Amino acid sequence: MSLRFAYNTNGAANHRLDDALRLIAEAGYDGVALTLDHHHLDPFANAWERETERVGRLLDTLRLGSVIETGARYLLDPRVKHEPTLIARDAEGRARRVAFLCRALDIAARLGSETVSFWAGVPQAGIDHAATRGWLDDGLARVLDYAEAVGVDASFEPEPGMLIETVGDYAALATRHPRLRLALDTGHCLVTQDIAPETAIRDYAAAIGTVAVEDMRRGDHTHLPFGQGDMDMPAVLAALREIGYRRLVCVELSRESPRAHQAIPEAIDYLKGIAA
């Protein structure tokens, strides 16, 4: 079967969104993983609904599907990366994160996106572990209820260094939240080394809501262009074909923005060369 590839706009942060989308389409991708940010479909702009409609028309013109990503670094707090999260110390901060994720689901519903991907956050020092878990459960319940109401899958990404960092952690979480799908970043499996990426694809095939790919070295959470790390990409793509995966396979090269115009075509040429 033929796999469908997308490129994450967090790897084109120095480009206007429209320019990035055109570069992605011209390179031959089937979709985009759109990381909502202050300069890329700002979810807090006064005219966010009108901008969403405009971007939707452009995606249709370019024949690009989409996944919505929520990992922007300073969208909610200009001073602290990724904060506040679902496990932030203060209730107001946690509510802001929930509101943002619900807005992301609204945008995904309007764009017809395959899913919204999000993560837990980094535990803060001095906070009781049980309290942190309780805050996460509460936030997830709210997000999942909203996702069901608007008809969009909510996919949870295990992230190294965060409260939920391994695929096994996700599996335990999903026992309490069975509506929660898995946002599998194959590179993260090499960082945590809890499971091989291709094994995770096969074992969690029924739960996967989206997949991110890149190269990465074992134990080092640095997103690398293909061919520069330890990822067995032929094995990953073979596993995706084996399970009949039909959603977008999203390239996430978040450090390649300064050379996005080169990285975008290089990545899909590499993937299509393997897939062939």
Side-chain angles (χ1 to χ4, degrees):
M1 60 168 288
S2 178
L3 296 172
R4 300 167 58 243
F5 296 110
Y7 194 90
N8 196 319
T9 58
N10 69 4
N14 300 134
H15 284 75
R16 296 180 183 88
L17 179 58
D18 289 20
D19 291 340
L21 294 178
R22 290 190 176 94
L23 286 173
I24 291 166
E26 289 168 4
Y29 288 86
D30 301 288
V32 58
L34 204 171
T35 295
L36 303 178
D37 211 336
H38 60 89
H39 61 310
H40 284 171
L41 214 174
D42 185 350
F44 300 118
N46 291 333
W48 71 270
E49 292 175 296
R50 187 164 63 249
E51 175 65 0
T52 300
E53 292 174 0
R54 188 195 67 79
V55 171
R57 290 193 296 271
L58 180 57
L59 290 175
D60 288 344
T61 298
L62 298 174
R63 298 182 179 180
L64 293 175
S66 62
V67 167
I68 296 299
E69 296 278 350
T70 59
R73 290 173 173 84
Y74 296 100
L75 184 62
L76 300 187
D77 188 324
R79 295 178 178 84
V80 186
K81 178 183 174 182
H82 290 156
E83 292 290 335
T85 70
L86 292 172
I87 58 171
R89 186 185 303 270
D90 64 290
E92 187 276 335
R94 297 194 299 275
R96 286 177 58 207
R97 176 60 63 169
V98 169
F100 166 49
L101 295 177
C102 290
R103 177 62 55 81
L105 287 161
D106 282 331
I107 291 171
R110 285 165 167 79
L111 295 180
S113 303
E114 294 180 351
T115 191
V116 170
S117 174
F118 63 106
W119 32 244
V122 177
Q124 297 173 331
I127 298 179
D128 179 72
H129 186 77
T132 304
R133 291 278 180 177
W135 294 336
L136 178 60
D137 284 337
D138 179 69
L140 283 178
R142 295 170 185 268
V143 171
L144 287 167
D145 284 347
Y146 199 87
E148 187 171 357
V150 299
V152 176
D153 285 342
S155 297
F156 194 93
E157 181 179 7
E159 183 84 21
M162 292 193 177
L163 180 67
I164 306 298
E165 61 177 347
T166 69
V167 177
D169 291 339
Y170 158 79
L173 187 66
T175 62
R176 304 196 301 275
H177 302 278
R179 294 175 293 176
L180 190 64
R181 302 198 70 166
L182 171 63
L184 178 65
D185 188 314
T186 54
H188 294 172
C189 296
L190 292 187
V191 179
T192 60
Q193 301 183 66
D194 63 309
I195 188 171
E198 60 272 21
T199 303
I201 291 168
R202 295 185 177 96
D203 288 357
Y204 292 89
I208 296 174
T210 187
V211 170
V213 294
E214 65 280 303
D215 214 334
M216 209 169 282
R217 299 187 183 98
R218 290 181 179 84
D220 180 6
H221 192 187
T222 302
H223 291 241
L224 298 171
F226 297 114
Q228 296 186 18
D230 299 318
M231 182 65 69
D232 186 349
M233 193 54 60
V236 167
L237 298 187
L240 289 169
R241 288 194 297 270
E242 181 182 316
I243 68 169
Y245 190 74
R246 298 191 179 279
R247 294 192 174 202
L248 292 167
V249 179
C250 305
V251 177
E252 186 174 3
L253 298 179
S254 52
R255 296 172 182 261
E256 297 303 302
S257 287
R259 56 181 301 275
H261 60 294
Q262 297 170 311
I264 289 170
E266 287 172 0
I268 195 167
D269 288 348
Y270 181 92
L271 291 171
K272 287 190 171 182
I274 293 174

